[in-house]
Amino acid sequence: MHFLKVKRVALFVLIAVFMTGTSTLPKAAAKPSSLYTNAKASALFDVESGRILYSNNGDTAMGIASLTKIMTAIVAIEHGKLTDMVKTSKRAVGKEGSSIYLQLGEEMSLSNMLYGLMLRSGNDAATAIAEHVGGSEEGFVHLMNEKAAFIGLTHSKFQNPHGLDQAEHYSSANDLARLTAYALKNEVFAEIVSTKVKKVPNPHEKWEYSYTNKNKMLTMYDGADGVKTGYTKKTLRCLVSSATRQGQQLAAVTINDSDDWADHRKMLDWGFNNYPLQEIAAKGQAIAGYPYIIGRTFKYPVAEQETESIQSRLVLLNTDSIHYLLGERGMLEWYMNNDKMGASPVYDQASSRLQLPETSRKTLQTLTDFRKAEKLNQDGDSAWYQSFSKVLDMLFEI
């Protein structure tokens, strides 16, 4: 097996022996400069690639308080219908800790309840959401652990949807990094956690509920766009924050950190300064010497001293494989110091696969429901929403 080195986005390709494989999250390279936090565990990662840029005690299983609600939110978005009305049970109303003060029997759209969950960290909202989407809190917890296994979280176990201290309820900084990278790619989740203030209809009074986001990073850090705070007397302060600058989104995780706001600013600055996101290969780019083109743009955060160690390998499919019959011809894999960074599919130059939308139908339907829920909260459908729905309907037909 041979490899060729590339500088920046220059592309050199060799056909390797026939093989297939799945992408794994690359290990963080040597740090370009020192980074220190006050947290017992921490991680910094690039959202698009999932690369962990910095980790300290990253695989140590710990209590995570309301960072749990990141999993609660993404499971609810993926399994629930955002326009559904969620009825508040006695169990939800009686939940201790932070609350949005739901009343027994009160109904609120799943969309709005998710705002209460993520902006105000309502434990009552978490319980009501779990009972509605999962049939019961226990059923929802099963969905949470299924999702954890799907994402590949190896140091996590969920016992409830709110994060109150409970035996055998835990995660790790690295697992939270992987979970958050997954969740932020969902446009509904990303919009909710980036919201600073949300007005919600109040069925009991003439005035609206107003949910102000507890995440102070949204106002104290340039480009901040998420994600979630957490605290219990046992776990102490926990925080996941994200920010986007020059098209790159980074997120930081700290668990049990006495100075988390300052540490997150420092971590994000360090990441943006040392690991800029670079385009390694572009969709539609021809592969010199072969009748193939790259089917998906591949970007990766690369420190300056790492560019010489990037390598590529073209892996071709057997002609009688299912993926080959569906139009794929192989994968262009990328490595750094023999650790796999990721891969892009390759197609014939005239392949119709290049015209397919990269957003799944399920994601588009979820976005439709989310916009509909938002518009229903503003006295019905507007012409804007009807136009938006027509565009999505056209996409579904592709």
Side-chain angles (χ1 to χ4, degrees):
M1 188 78 63
H2 297 285
F3 295 96
L4 288 178
K5 293 183 177 180
V6 298
K7 290 185 179 180
R8 299 289 179 179
V9 297
L11 183 63
F12 299 87
V13 186
L14 281 181
I15 294 180
V17 296
F18 170 72
M19 61 175 289
T20 58
T22 57
S23 177
T24 58
L25 190 68
K27 299 177 181 178
K31 298 183 290 291
S33 59
S34 61
L35 179 63
Y36 170 80
T37 75
N38 296 283
K40 285 192 175 180
S42 55
L44 175 71
F45 60 101
D46 175 77
V47 172
E48 178 163 337
S49 67
R51 184 185 185 189
I52 295 179
L53 307 176
Y54 168 83
S55 179
N56 178 50
N57 292 330
D59 287 330
T60 302
M62 307 174 67
I64 59 170
S66 287
L67 301 188
T68 298
K69 290 164 183 160
I70 297 171
M71 176 64 85
T72 302
I74 193 62
V75 169
I77 291 167
E78 292 186 347
H79 288 270
K81 187 172 179 59
L82 296 170
T83 52
D84 279 357
M85 299 302 292
V86 179
K87 191 172 184 178
T88 307
S89 71
K90 183 177 181 180
R91 186 176 185 180
V93 169
K95 192 60 59 179
E96 65 181 290
S98 56
S99 176
I100 59 171
Y101 306 103
L102 295 168
Q103 297 184 29
L104 181 63
E106 180 174 348
E107 293 187 348
M108 182 183 292
S109 71
L110 177 56
S111 173
N112 282 335
M113 202 163 279
L114 283 167
Y115 279 102
L117 175 80
M118 298 305 286
L119 274 60
R120 297 306 301 165
S121 202
N123 292 338
D124 49 355
T127 303
I129 289 168
E131 292 176 334
H132 178 81
V133 175
S136 66
E137 187 171 324
E138 294 75 16
F140 188 83
V141 168
H142 176 74
L143 295 177
M144 295 172 74
N145 286 306
E146 274 193 341
K147 180 58 65 176
F150 173 80
I151 297 172
L153 310 188
T154 55
H155 299 87
S156 300
K157 186 176 181 180
F158 296 94
Q159 297 277 38
N160 62 64
H162 39 69
L164 290 173
D165 296 326
Q166 189 171 347
E168 298 300 304
H169 181 92
Y170 54 81
S171 188
S172 69
N174 287 351
D175 273 6
L176 286 170
R178 295 180 176 94
L179 169 61
T180 304
Y182 175 87
L184 282 171
K185 292 173 184 175
N186 182 292
E187 294 184 47
V188 172
F189 179 92
E191 182 167 333
I192 290 172
V193 299
S194 66
T195 300
K196 295 178 182 178
V197 180
K198 176 65 177 177
K199 301 287 186 180
V200 173
N202 181 346
H204 311 292
E205 304 288 347
K206 292 182 179 180
W207 47 267
E208 294 179 309
Y209 294 130
S210 181
Y211 300 148
T212 301
N213 203 319
K214 291 184 177 183
N215 182 6
K216 294 180 181 179
M217 291 292 287
L218 292 176
T219 57
M220 67 170 51
Y221 189 82
D222 184 29
D225 48 22
V227 174
K228 187 72 187 74
T229 61
Y231 175 84
T232 69
K233 291 180 180 179
K234 184 176 181 180
T235 62
L236 301 180
R237 296 181 64 87
C238 303
L239 178 64
V240 177
S241 67
S242 64
T244 301
R245 291 183 179 177
Q246 297 182 330
Q248 179 179 21
Q249 188 175 34
L250 298 181
V253 180
T254 52
I255 302 173
N256 194 334
D257 187 348
S258 59
D259 198 12
D260 50 7
W261 304 121
D263 281 342
H264 279 243
R265 291 196 298 268
K266 179 171 59 179
M267 292 169 73
L268 292 167
D269 283 345
W270 183 89
F272 285 124
N273 290 336
N274 291 293
Y275 288 92
L277 188 65
Q278 301 196 37
E279 185 175 285
I280 307 300
K283 181 177 179 179
Q285 181 178 345
I287 301 176
Y290 301 93
Y292 306 127
I293 51 178
I294 296 170
R296 182 173 59 244
T297 297
F298 178 63
K299 296 181 180 180
Y300 203 76
V302 180
E304 185 175 355
Q305 68 271 25
E306 293 178 328
T307 57
E308 293 291 337
S309 63
I310 299 176
Q311 304 160 324
S312 64
R313 180 170 61 193
L314 179 63
V315 180
L316 296 180
L317 291 171
N318 193 320
T319 57
D320 60 2
S321 69
I322 294 296
H323 287 286
Y324 187 94
L325 295 175
L326 291 174
E328 196 171 302
R329 294 298 174 257
M331 299 293 292
L332 185 59
E333 299 178 342
W334 297 91
Y335 292 81
M336 182 183 295
N337 296 322
N338 295 326
D339 287 327
K340 191 172 183 180
M341 301 158 60
S344 294
V346 298
Y347 306 123
D348 289 328
Q349 292 184 351
S351 175
S352 60
R353 291 286 296 271
L354 286 172
Q355 308 306 318
L356 294 176
E358 296 187 6
T359 304
S360 70
R361 291 188 177 188
K362 183 175 181 180
T363 299
L364 290 171
Q365 184 59 58
T366 302
L367 280 169
T368 302
D369 291 341
F370 185 60
R371 297 302 178 208
K372 184 175 182 180
E374 292 293 285
K375 285 301 168 183
L376 288 175
N377 291 330
Q378 300 173 19
D379 301 321
D381 294 345
S382 66
W384 176 90
Y385 172 70
Q386 293 172 10
S387 176
F388 179 83
S389 297
K390 288 179 181 179
V391 172
L392 291 178
D393 289 341
M394 291 173 63
L395 289 172
F396 289 150
E397 295 174 357
I398 295 177

